[in-house]
Amino acid sequence: MASLRRVKVLLVLNLIAVAGFVLFLAKCRPITAKSGDSFHDIHPRAEVANLTAHGISSIQDAVLKRLSLLEDIVYRQLNGLSKSLGLIEGYGGRGKGGLPATLSPDEEEKAKGPHEKYGYNSYLSEKISLDRSIPDYRPTKCKELKYSKDLPQISIIFIFVNEALSVILRSVHSAVNHTPAHLLKEIILVDDNSDEEELKAPLEEYVNKRYPGLVKVVRNQKREGLIRARIEGWKAATGQITGFFDAHVEFTAGWAEPVLSRIQENRRRVILPSIDNIKQDNFEVQRYENSAHGYSWELWCMYISPPKDWWDAGDPSLPIR
């Protein structure tokens, strides 16, 4: 706790220093003029606006770099939080790069019970880092697209009931690691009345210390079901856009910008990102080819091949209706 307090004090002092630096630049920017020249002769109104915009942009970049450095410092201090839960942070561990993770014969025996309980290998999940790297399977053209910095913020909402703690926290870490900080308003965890003890105090204490103010936990007092649980998350959200996800996902770099950009163009749009597969037995990330999502008449989720006009356009970055 003493170490955590020192980190908080360091963070506050650095934020005050950054704020003071910004105010100093805003108040004390020097103006040089020749004798007899007026201010308007040197800086016409349009030029002043351009200079101000450029100055603000530079200051914002400097502040973001400074905050990124502070985040790294805090990260190193808080890295031990996961150890008390028997979990791993950082970019080591098994399954990094989205490759299949494995267990020894003795571990395989221990993993059988949890595998049957959760429907995936939760014992193996605990051996995989919460911050593991995964492949970026986006088409090349998608990686080259540029987006406005002035995009709306998103509230990410995870719904869970009796999910493995390691899988929930990997979803949270992945969302934080791969969503630009200025676009991520908050993460909301909606617990639909879970029974597991590790999803109560241990989960709440971890996210409150690891991501103070960023992650909120909403707990239903009775089992409400998927849709009503999502609505409870939506009620708690304060972002301009809400994104609903299962609590067993991993995000890749660049996932948020195209989603937010398309909604910014038309607020009536509902966007579904391209979803690759995470294998339940070894957590290998498996690429799914370009496809849309839809439902059969029996309401089974299914992948749909894009229409002919999409293929004819020859642009894999285009949305699929």
Side-chain angles (χ1 to χ4, degrees):
M1 289 302 293
S3 176
L4 182 59
R5 280 196 294 271
R6 286 197 298 272
V7 171
K8 290 181 176 178
V9 170
L10 176 62
L11 182 58
V12 170
L13 289 175
N14 275 276
L15 289 176
I16 291 172
V18 171
F21 175 68
V22 172
L23 289 174
F24 175 79
L25 287 181
K27 296 288 187 182
C28 303
R29 184 182 294 117
I31 299 172
T32 304
K34 293 180 181 178
S35 177
D37 287 341
S38 69
F39 179 80
H40 295 287
D41 291 333
I42 300 170
H43 297 297
R45 187 178 184 87
E47 291 183 9
V48 172
N50 290 336
L51 179 62
T52 303
H54 177 73
I56 290 174
S57 177
S58 299
I59 292 171
Q60 287 176 337
D61 290 341
V63 171
L64 288 175
K65 288 179 180 178
R66 183 64 173 163
L67 290 177
S68 178
L69 175 61
L70 294 175
E71 187 179 52
D72 289 341
I73 294 171
V74 174
Y75 174 79
R76 289 194 293 270
Q77 291 292 327
L78 297 181
N79 197 24
L81 286 175
S82 60
K83 292 181 180 178
S84 63
L85 300 175
L87 304 178
I88 305 168
E89 290 191 42
Y91 294 97
R94 306 180 200 184
K96 59 183 177 181
L99 296 174
T102 58
L103 294 171
S104 68
D106 288 343
E107 290 174 326
E108 287 281 5
E109 193 63 32
K110 296 176 182 177
K112 288 181 179 178
H115 199 310
E116 293 175 1
K117 177 179 179 179
Y118 292 107
Y120 51 76
N121 197 337
S122 61
Y123 183 88
L124 175 60
S125 174
E126 294 176 359
K127 312 300 179 185
I128 298 173
S129 173
L130 303 178
D131 299 297
R132 77 154 173 173
S133 58
I134 59 174
D136 186 350
Y137 286 138
R138 290 177 296 165
T140 300
K141 190 162 184 179
C142 290
K143 299 176 184 179
E144 295 172 348
L145 292 174
K146 304 297 182 184
Y147 297 95
S148 167
K149 290 185 178 181
D150 186 27
L151 292 173
Q153 290 185 310
I154 186 170
S155 295
I156 294 177
I157 302 172
F158 291 119
I159 312 298
F160 68 90
V161 55
N162 292 332
E163 194 92 56
L165 178 61
S166 62
V167 171
I168 295 174
L169 293 183
R170 189 173 301 108
S171 300
V172 172
H173 275 246
S174 179
V176 174
N177 291 343
H178 296 114
T179 309
H182 69 287
L183 298 180
L184 181 57
K185 178 66 174 180
E186 65 205 346
I187 295 174
I188 299 173
L189 302 176
V190 182
D191 174 13
D192 197 21
N193 201 233
S194 296
D195 304 316
E196 298 291 333
E197 286 302 318
E198 67 176 5
L199 300 181
K200 299 183 187 301
L203 169 64
E204 204 148 340
E205 289 174 6
Y206 177 87
V207 296
N208 287 342
K209 292 178 180 178
R210 187 65 180 79
Y211 300 113
L214 180 64
V215 180
K216 304 175 183 177
V217 180
V218 174
R219 298 195 185 274
N220 292 335
Q221 297 306 306
K222 63 176 182 177
R223 191 71 50 79
E224 297 288 356
L226 178 62
I227 301 305
R228 283 193 292 268
R230 284 178 171 173
I231 291 173
E232 291 303 312
W234 174 77
K235 288 178 181 177
T238 61
Q240 295 163 281
I241 291 174
T242 50
F244 298 93
F245 298 89
D246 292 328
H248 43 256
V249 299
E250 293 180 58
F251 296 82
T252 55
W255 78 272
E257 291 90 332
V259 170
L260 301 179
S261 179
R262 297 202 189 284
I263 297 176
Q264 187 180 51
E265 292 170 0
N266 182 350
R267 63 182 293 274
R268 294 180 180 274
R269 287 175 176 162
V270 178
I271 306 296
L272 182 63
S274 178
I275 300 176
D276 295 314
N277 183 45
I278 301 174
K279 292 186 178 181
Q280 63 180 15
D281 54 342
N282 60 16
F283 288 83
E284 178 186 5
V285 178
Q286 178 185 33
R287 179 180 182 177
Y288 278 2
E289 294 303 321
N290 294 325
S291 60
H293 285 245
Y295 294 89
S296 68
W297 285 108
E298 296 174 328
L299 295 183
W300 288 104
C301 182
M302 57 187 292
Y303 291 91
I304 301 172
S305 179
K308 183 177 181 300
D309 59 353
W310 187 89
W311 289 109
D312 290 345
D315 184 355
S317 69
L318 292 175
I320 305 170
R321 185 172 178 83

